[in-house]
Amino acid sequence: MEVTNRYITIKTQVDGEPKESDFELKTSALSLSLDPSSNDIIVKNLYVSIDPYQLNRMKSQSSSQKAIGFAAAITPGEDIDAYGVAKVVASGNPEFEKDDLVVGLITWGEYSLLKGGKYMLRKFDPMGFPLGLTAYGGFFEVCKPKKGEKVFVSAASGSVGNLVGQYAKLFGCYVVGCAGSKEKVALLKEKLGFDDAFNYKEEPDLKAALQRYFPDGIDIYFDNVGFEMLEAAVVNMNTFGRVAVCGVISEYIDATKRAAPNMLDVVYKRIKIQGFLAADQMNVFPDFLSTTTDHLRTGKLHAVEDISDGVESFPSAFIGLFRGHNTGKKMVKVADE
Amino acid sequence: MEVTNRYITIKTQVDGEPKESDFELKTSALSLSLDPSSNDIIVKNLYVSIDPYQLNRMKSQSSSQKAIGFAAAITPGEDIDAYGVAKVVASGNPEFEKDDLVVGLITWGEYSLLKGGKYMLRKFDPMGFPLGLTAYGGFFEVCKPKKGEKVFVSAASGSVGNLVGQYAKLFGCYVVGCAGSKEKVALLKEKLGFDDAFNYKEEPDLKAALQRYFPDGIDIYFDNVGFEMLEAAVVNMNTFGRVAVCGVISEYIDATKRAAPNMLDVVYKRIKIQGFLAADQMNVFPDFLSTTTDHLRTGKLHAVEDISDGVESFPSAFIGLFRGHNTGKKMVKVADE
């Protein structure tokens, strides 16, 4: 048996802000007959996570590409792997059976052929959703918050930011977020329980804005954007302040947009600036899971999702991340179960 | 009884690189009769420590001045307080007697009138020398070294840098330092036991230089200079690398010389950049003291001192710090006991 697989690739390496013409929809025939001893699996993709870091993998060169397996360079014309949920349609691995729901690294396409047992895949547990570990681990492990501390989150309506803010509020911190539209600011304040929020596009002076929102200074800055926002946050930080550097979307699209924080502040206020990846936070996975499940069940935590439909929507869904189009976790729904 | 006190002040706030004309030698009469209940103390200054951070206190405005007591702004015309060793000549405090040797905050002058019991002063213990805690605490507490790790130290022949390198070698790390002259490089390699050293002034491309000296990457960077050196170090750091930001002499003399490290490196390599002050490292003081005393006694650790003579030499001693004139710990010897 054979299916037709439609999938998205990059035509060439993407340096700078991504655009529609960087991507291409391809079609190939995919045989569903697998050698039972091959360890290959074919899955039908259902939901695929759309994340800004993928841009670093698409570049001609990026320090991210040397860092770890899943940030390896993406080759033009080949599959783009990404985290997602899928259903097994054929399996050459005895651990997985047809119709199993799985989560792991799949592809920007309708089907994924995962070869030779080297895939990162596990069975899907409806309570064991994997999204949000970046927010949880980054906030609790990297920032080491204390109750009552003042927390600033940038890109606060984004996939990670909205959860960081919610976790911080539930933990007992004072939380202010920034986002790029009136609607996003309203979401943060009215639905997600942020103490305050502002539209950074309306602030000509970010340092002054942060001083206004944090008259007593910032203890923790969860950085998703870098550049001027990081500089402004460092100026406004308190002694022993912590910056968790989760992402630097400014630098992803323009390598010259680098933060040059005042290092005198860093020294005299003993500020810690720490990069991290969710992959390092597996030790808190059990905590993350139980806390998150509890809060979702009681309705205290809101999952904010932003879903595009169909394999054709991958490029626009991805490009939209860098234009502030998404609110919450961006995903592409490729198919119903 | 009365003595004549000659002391140095700044004529005006110093922004930019300090120069001789920023300073002034003043003379005043100082009565040695103290009210026994005043808690005032008068000391005769013997050795005074000359440190780059004082420049931040001399500026019209610096974030350092808000940080902690001893980095408070220096007022033109008034005493410049600094760490040093002195001898009590008159005391209104029963805890100190005439002829006691003391260490603590004294002044850039021949005598210091320390008022009202608010001074930071304690009796001098010949084995309890206080210098070097910045190096020890910064290296062990902030960098958390493991044996065999690769350590890079900038301004490695300076007051703090030379000790960091020596501690790191004695601990079992691989250590490379950079300095600004052939003589300093020779000192590091031949006397202080650094594995390697280079003259940064002979390196047109710092990133390439560090790649050459650290083909396997840098695990720990002890930063005394900031700016381009910090940027070059971050590019060459290994996963989970640590940067201890001790000082940023580039920024002290020119606030526009700020490092803009590649934050993608910081994220993907999970680099920690941490500012610190010796004042926070008091918890390791006993360790510091016993380790340092042992190593000095056995000759494994070298105290590198650079001493100028007389109260007139304060300005040139201080200015020289920013021109690379000193090798090791810079002090002014004001008087013999």
Side-chain angles (χ1 to χ4, degrees), chain B residues 55-120:
Chain B
L55 186 59
N56 300 321
R57 305 182 56 205
M58 296 174 185
K59 292 176 184 169
S60 342
Q61 200 187 354
S62 167
S63 50
S64 73
Q65 296 170 6
K66 290 177 275 183
I68 40 165
F70 68 77
I74 292 170
T75 308
E78 301 205 346
D79 280 338
I80 298 170
D81 53 318
Y83 210 78
V85 177
K87 193 157 93 171
V88 175
V89 291
S91 175
N93 177 336
E95 288 176 41
F96 295 94
E97 287 180 18
K98 189 168 183 302
D99 293 334
D100 277 352
L101 281 179
V102 292
V103 294
L105 278 184
I106 54 177
T107 58
W108 286 20
E110 292 176 318
Y111 293 89
S112 308
L113 169 59
L114 307 167
K115 297 202 55 114
K118 285 186 186 159
Y119 35 81
M120 287 174 60

Side-chain angles (χ1 to χ4, degrees), chain B residues 320-337:
Chain B
L321 293 177
F322 302 95
R323 298 179 182 174
H325 294 173
N326 64 306
T327 301
K329 178 66 204 157
K330 187 72 200 173
M331 286 182 274
V332 169
K333 178 180 169 186
V334 184
D336 289 311
E337 290 190 34

